[in-house]
Amino acid sequence: QVQLVESGGGSVQAGGSLRLSCVDSGYTYSSNSWGWFRQTPGKEREGIASIYTVDGSTYYADSVKGRFTISRDGSAKTMYLQMNNLKPEDSAMYYCAASRAGILPSRRFQGESYDYWGQGTQVTVS
């Protein structure tokens, strides 16, 4: 059973930084596509970062490009999202996700491409 657990959220002032972690405590050795999503009440879930661990390719939404960095430590079974220069509009619940199969680059920010999800961690920027 795959279980993803996020942590690292919190409250920060605009311009500050946070690092989110997503620990994989289950059987996801075959997952090579991972992503971060966020959602605020009343809005659609937004895919913001994705990583393909086979070659290390990373993908970012325009809204976070240049400020956020996605990475994964396979030995620690942990994925990270380093968030710098945070803005109030970054406030959201952040979710990590993993896919059993590879994902086309054009589909990396679509939630239905992922099979496993964490419970989320709240980020508030004021």
Side-chain angles (χ1 to χ4, degrees):
Q1 180 67 28
V2 174
Q3 185 171 12
L4 303 179
V5 180
E6 304 96 336
S7 64
S11 297
V12 65
Q13 291 187 336
S17 298
L18 285 173
R19 189 176 78 157
L20 305 184
S21 299
C22 173
V23 177
D24 158 24
S25 62
Y27 187 61
T28 58
Y29 85 95
S30 61
S31 294
N32 53 36
S33 295
W34 300 76
W36 285 99
F37 290 74
R38 66 186 182 187
Q39 189 170 23
T40 55
K43 293 188 177 181
E44 292 187 0
R45 181 175 52 195
E46 176 189 16
I48 58 172
S50 178
I51 185 168
Y52 181 54
T53 58
V54 173
D55 61 9
S57 298
T58 57
Y59 306 83
Y60 298 95
D62 289 342
S63 58
V64 305
K65 195 174 296 181
R67 301 187 298 122
F68 291 11
T69 302
I70 187 173
S71 62
R72 175 164 166 81
D73 182 342
S75 61
K77 302 181 75 175
T78 303
M79 179 173 65
Y80 303 97
L81 184 67
Q82 177 66 44
M83 306 186 295
N84 298 327
N85 191 22
L86 283 161
K87 304 175 181 180
E89 52 264 42
D90 294 319
S91 297
M93 186 70 78
Y94 283 70
Y95 301 90
C96 64
S99 171
R100 289 194 298 264
I103 303 174
L104 292 173
S106 61
R107 296 180 58 83
R108 286 193 173 276
F109 293 147
Q110 297 179 14
E112 55 267 31
S113 298
Y114 296 83
D115 304 292
Y116 309 110
W117 292 84
Q119 293 300 307
T121 185
Q122 179 69 39
V123 172
T124 302
V125 185
S126 59

